[in-house]
Amino acid sequence: SPEMPRERDPRDTKGQRAEVPTMSQIFDAYEKEFLEFTASIARNTSSLPSLAGDAKVQKIGETESDVAEAEALIRRMDLEARSQQNPAAKNPMLNKLRDYKSELARLKRESQLASRAANEANNRSQLLAGAELDDSGAPTSSSQRDRMAQATQQLDRTGDRIRDGKRTLLETEDLGVSILQDLHRQRETIVSAREHIHGADDNIGRSRKILQAMGRRAMANKAMLYGIIAMLFGAILLVAYFKLFRSSDDDSGGQ
């Protein structure tokens, strides 16, 4: 069965100072792969009528695998485009994506029609071969038709299993894309919360500075109050001294 594409990490891991590519670079890398697969699908579809037997079956399998790869790249490009925050970069990507989806749908229809026509032609040729054996009166024509019918049923069952497996893989990949989208939204929430925390830290720092300034001002006011009290106490002592000294002078003068 055709394998689904593995997620490529476009980051450069060479050296300690590797740079992470931007979203547009990741989208461009997916776009390049998508165009290669669509070109391969078109070539394989156009070559199907000229093939026969195992070569035709192999080419049909290659076409189906390329279609699955292209569909996976469409989903990845859609995720990258919707992750863009800047509309000037996001809108052109979404416009390209719409065109690519239409092109892939057209190529998929053409490949399915070509595959169906090729299978019908193959079945027709096998039936004609069985009919020739019947007309010639060969004693083995009936058993050959039975074997051919069994082989056709087995091929149909195998094709059904392949399609079921491919459907399961596509559903798994859709689930992965959904998880990635959820993780992206959670990342935005975490970044927003971190910005709020930084703002709260700034406010706490400013409040701490204000409290420190108020504390210094209170200390200065307290020192000033103590100074005034000391001055008043000194003035009281001075007045009392002069009063006592003058009263003693008056008493000595009266004697």
Side-chain angles (χ1 to χ4, degrees):
S1 62
E3 296 182 358
M4 296 304 297
R6 292 178 296 177
E7 191 76 17
R8 293 181 174 84
D9 189 358
R11 294 178 174 84
D12 182 11
T13 57
K14 297 180 180 179
Q16 296 179 352
R17 300 173 61 184
E19 295 182 355
V20 178
T22 62
M23 286 289 187
S24 60
Q25 290 173 334
I26 298 175
F27 184 90
D28 292 341
Y30 289 153
E31 181 183 18
K32 183 178 179 182
E33 290 186 61
F34 174 79
L35 293 176
E36 291 175 356
F37 279 117
T38 52
S40 176
I41 294 169
R43 286 195 304 270
N44 292 339
T45 302
S46 61
S47 65
L48 278 178
S50 62
L51 299 176
D54 294 338
K56 181 178 289 186
V57 174
Q58 181 180 0
K59 191 64 68 175
I60 290 173
E62 291 176 359
T63 304
E64 292 177 350
S65 177
D66 290 342
V67 169
E69 293 276 358
E71 289 176 340
L73 287 168
I74 283 289
R75 286 189 288 273
R76 294 173 192 165
M77 285 191 288
D78 183 72
L79 178 61
E80 294 297 334
R82 295 184 187 280
S83 300
Q84 287 284 336
Q85 301 297 328
N86 184 8
K90 183 177 182 178
N91 293 334
M93 290 182 186
L94 292 177
N95 291 335
K96 280 186 177 181
L97 201 56
R98 280 193 294 271
D99 295 338
Y100 289 155
K101 286 179 180 179
S102 300
E103 181 182 2
L104 181 59
R106 178 184 61 80
L107 291 173
K108 188 175 181 180
R109 284 194 304 271
E110 292 178 355
S111 66
Q112 289 173 346
L113 290 174
S115 299
R116 193 177 299 115
N119 290 331
E120 290 175 355
N122 188 35
N123 294 335
R124 211 166 32 244
S125 64
Q126 290 178 351
L127 290 174
L128 289 175
E132 289 175 359
L133 288 175
D134 288 341
D135 293 339
S136 64
T140 60
S141 60
S142 176
S143 61
Q144 286 179 348
R145 283 199 306 274
D146 293 339
R147 286 196 299 271
M148 185 170 57
Q150 292 175 358
T152 302
Q153 292 175 358
Q154 185 176 0
L155 286 174
D156 291 339
R157 288 193 295 270
T158 303
D160 292 338
R161 286 196 296 271
I162 291 173
R163 283 189 289 272
D164 291 339
K166 188 189 301 182
R167 189 181 307 109
T168 303
L169 289 173
L170 291 174
E171 290 174 354
T172 303
E173 186 166 1
D174 289 338
L175 178 61
V177 171
S178 176
I179 291 172
L180 286 176
Q181 290 175 343
D182 291 338
L183 289 174
H184 178 72
R185 287 192 292 269
Q186 291 174 6
R187 178 181 175 274
E188 291 179 345
T189 303
I190 291 171
V191 170
S192 177
R194 186 169 57 188
E195 291 176 352
H196 289 315
I197 290 172
H198 288 326
D201 288 341
D202 293 339
N203 292 331
I204 291 171
R206 285 193 293 268
S207 299
R208 186 182 296 116
K209 290 179 180 178
I210 292 171
L211 290 174
Q212 289 173 353
M214 291 173 66
R216 288 193 296 268
R217 190 173 300 169
M219 291 294 294
N221 291 337
K222 189 181 293 185
M224 187 180 298
L225 181 61
Y226 288 156
I228 293 172
I229 292 172
M231 289 175 63
L232 289 173
F233 186 70
I236 292 170
L237 289 177
L238 187 61
V239 169
Y241 172 76
F242 280 118
K243 219 169 173 184
L244 290 174
F245 181 73
R246 182 173 296 177
S247 64
S248 62
D249 285 345
D250 291 340
D251 292 339
S252 61
Q255 292 177 358

